[in-house]
Amino acid sequence: MDKIKEIRGYELIDSRGNPTVGCFVSTVRGAKGFAIVPSGASTGIHEAAELRDNDKKRFMGKGVKKAVNNINTVIAPAVIEGGIFSQRELDSFLISLDGSENKEKLGANAILGVSIAFAKAAAASFNLPLYRYLGGINAYTLPVPMMNILNGGAHAKNNLDVQEFMIVPKGINGFSEQLRAGCEIYHSLGKLLKEKGLQGGVGDEGGFAPDLYGDEEALELISEAILRAGYSHNQVGIALDVAASEWVKDSAYLLPKKGSVMTSDALVDYYMELTEKYPVLSIEDGVGEDDFDGWKKLTACLSKKINLVGDDLFATNVKRLEMGVEKCIANSVLVKLNQIGTLSETLEVIEMGKKYGYKSIISHRSGESEDSFIADLSVAVNAPFIKSGAPARSDRTAKYNRLLIIEKEI
Ligand code: PGA
Ligand code: ZN
């Protein structure tokens, strides 16, 4: 059995130019793994804690030297001394070494860096591609990409309150053809925006970020871009990440950019209208993370028709998902490793989702890097979907490109 020889943490930068944790793990037999931890902007309140230095003199307080130091001086000696070489053993060791409910002591960013780098080193040690090591012989399908081609909310400085407008080529066969459709529609939308004089650069996830009259105009433009690129709405649908937890204000919702106030009942009615008028096949976080009545209404009205995805709602946490199952809310679960902080706990959420019929969407964060771990993870667990932003910008395409390579291998 191979053993860990070295664990080293780094302070690196993410796609937004903010510091993030990198981690290197090597084994006695010379296998190596390297991971870079992502970071969210619209983070939910039930997520594991990301440790930041809060030293205003560096990176506006966003430095991660404390987390890196925890890897180098606390985690590394304890794990190496423990002679650990299994993922579950490592992850439960890290959870107990931290000892807190939300990994705030060592930092979920420090813990996740070690957890992922270790998985990569283990795959290398067994001489297996990462997806094969993680999923065994049962890893055989590629996810459908959900590509975010128009950005708003906390991810862009434009006037749109909905955070993500994604295209989903669900009616096209094969990952490479799905991605091609995504690229062609992305360019078709870019051209359409230019024709209308709607410039505005791109948002954090690589999608265009124009100022528009509202969400409906965004849906009109994307619907048209799909057709103009030569695809039908049966081949390519639209997914929204509303990220409504960002709008919660007292007992209602304040759409910060429009300045309008809505109840959750009004939001659900609005979504029902949108799914009638446009090819919307998925809505994520349509209401807030703790608005269970809103979630119940949303699920009762739309769960037979479209995917209702819990992101902030479930926070990649089995306890939250269990609660969702009991309350019969949502029908899909967004999976973000850094919401919970270890690979093993992430896999548990996916397993629980499978058991109760919740579809998994393996997801990036808005602050990303060249690390393509989620691509391998999505294949390992045969996830039906992956969301990794626009089919543009290297932090996003690293994952899609990795999937193109895996597609050829399997
Ligand atoms: P975040 O956005 O990484 O900023 O949380 C992604 C999402 O909400 O799905
Ligand atoms: Zn989300």
Side-chain angles (χ1 to χ4, degrees):
M1 192 62 151
D2 208 351
K3 291 233 161 61
I4 297 177
K5 186 173 143 207
E6 188 185 5
I7 302 176
R8 217 182 312 137
Y10 297 86
E11 184 182 63
L12 306 176
I13 52 167
D14 72 12
S15 56
R16 273 194 281 254
N18 293 325
T20 194
V21 173
C23 182
F24 171 78
V25 169
S26 69
T27 72
V28 172
R29 288 195 204 148
K32 296 180 177 73
F34 187 72
I36 306 178
V37 177
S39 176
S42 60
T43 44
I45 52 177
H46 302 290
E47 297 193 20
E50 184 180 66
L51 185 60
R52 299 259 173 207
D53 298 341
N54 291 321
D55 171 1
K56 297 281 180 257
K57 292 194 286 302
R58 298 183 71 251
F59 292 110
M60 291 89 176
K62 291 192 169 133
V64 290
K65 281 199 160 174
K66 284 182 192 163
V68 168
N69 199 43
N70 286 343
I71 294 181
N72 293 334
T73 64
V74 183
I75 297 176
V79 170
I80 294 167
E81 175 129 330
I84 293 166
F85 206 72
S86 100
Q87 189 74 43
R88 288 190 73 84
E89 207 187 332
L90 172 78
D91 290 341
S92 32
F93 184 81
L94 294 173
I95 291 164
S96 50
L97 190 64
D98 175 84
S100 69
E101 185 61 31
N102 64 351
K103 303 185 177 68
E104 66 190 355
K105 281 211 187 119
L106 296 171
N109 41 353
I111 292 174
L112 184 64
V114 176
S115 185
I116 296 179
F118 174 84
K120 291 188 183 182
S125 169
F126 288 111
N127 218 354
L128 286 169
L130 187 53
Y131 65 87
R132 184 66 62 216
Y133 165 72
L134 294 172
I137 55 169
N138 199 39
Y140 63 95
T141 55
L142 275 91
V144 175
M146 299 173 68
M147 293 164 278
N148 183 4
I149 60 171
L150 218 153
N151 294 185
H155 294 170
K157 292 185 175 62
N158 61 356
N159 64 359
L160 294 176
D161 281 304
V162 168
Q163 183 177 279
E164 300 172 21
F165 295 83
M166 294 165 273
I167 43 171
V168 191
K170 223 179 137 200
I172 294 177
N173 275 337
F175 182 80
S176 44
E177 287 303 296
Q178 292 163 352
L179 192 63
R180 176 166 79 91
C183 295
E184 290 169 0
I185 296 163
Y186 180 70
H187 292 300
S188 143
L189 178 64
K191 204 159 159 249
L192 190 56
L193 291 170
K194 190 159 184 233
E195 279 169 24
K196 293 187 184 289
L198 293 164
Q199 300 313 71
V202 294
D204 287 354
E205 298 189 348
F208 300 108
D211 278 329
L212 301 176
Y213 288 114
D215 312 326
E216 285 220 46
E217 190 185 6
L219 288 166
E220 301 270 1
L221 288 166
I222 294 171
S223 304
E224 190 179 340
I226 293 170
L227 299 178
R228 276 211 198 178
Y231 297 94
S232 72
H233 292 152
N234 286 332
Q235 289 175 299
V236 184
I238 300 175
L240 300 177
D241 180 3
V242 177
S245 303
E246 296 285 303
W247 302 347
V248 174
K249 181 106 204 306
D250 305 323
S251 56
Y253 293 86
L254 169 68
L255 283 59
K257 295 180 180 178
K258 264 195 218 100
S260 49
V261 177
M262 286 173 93
T263 62
S264 58
D265 281 1
L267 279 176
V268 174
D269 291 345
Y270 178 53
Y271 301 143
M272 285 174 65
E273 199 186 308
L274 292 183
T275 59
E276 291 296 324
K277 282 166 80 175
Y278 305 97
V280 173
L281 45 78
S282 178
I283 295 178
E284 179 179 330
D285 284 351
V287 292
E289 57 217 323
D290 289 321
D291 180 0
F292 303 124
D293 289 338
W295 269 105
K296 277 186 188 153
K297 175 149 195 228
L298 186 59
T299 308
C301 294
L302 281 169
S303 72
K304 292 216 165 55
K305 191 171 175 191
I306 64 168
N307 289 342
L308 295 173
V309 186
D311 170 11
D312 293 345
L313 174 68
F314 297 135
T316 316
N317 183 321
V318 279
K319 288 190 195 135
R320 297 279 304 175
L321 182 55
E322 206 163 38
M323 171 212 68
V325 170
E326 269 164 29
K327 294 186 189 300
C328 295
I329 51 176
N331 60 23
S332 304
V333 53
L334 203 79
V335 176
K336 289 168 163 168
L337 289 136
N338 80 328
Q339 280 183 327
I340 190 67
T342 65
L343 173 57
S344 303
E345 290 166 288
T346 305
L347 292 169
E348 278 170 32
V349 167
I350 298 168
E351 277 310 306
M352 179 182 276
K354 280 186 183 164
K355 188 166 161 200
Y356 293 103
Y358 283 65
K359 283 163 244 149
S360 287
I361 298 163
I362 310 298
S363 174
H364 65 159
R365 298 304 304 244
S366 49
E368 265 294 336
S369 73
E370 60 273 32
D371 193 316
S372 60
F373 183 82
I374 59 166
D376 284 76
L377 177 65
S378 68
V379 176
V381 301
N382 298 309
F385 299 101
I386 187 169
K387 86 170 197 181
S388 177
R393 313 277 140 173
S394 310
D395 40 318
R396 312 298 145 184
T397 57
K399 287 70 164 170
Y400 297 138
N401 283 335
R402 173 71 186 139
L403 285 164
L404 286 174
I405 290 165
I406 298 176
E407 185 183 41
K408 288 276 174 283
E409 285 178 16
I410 63 174

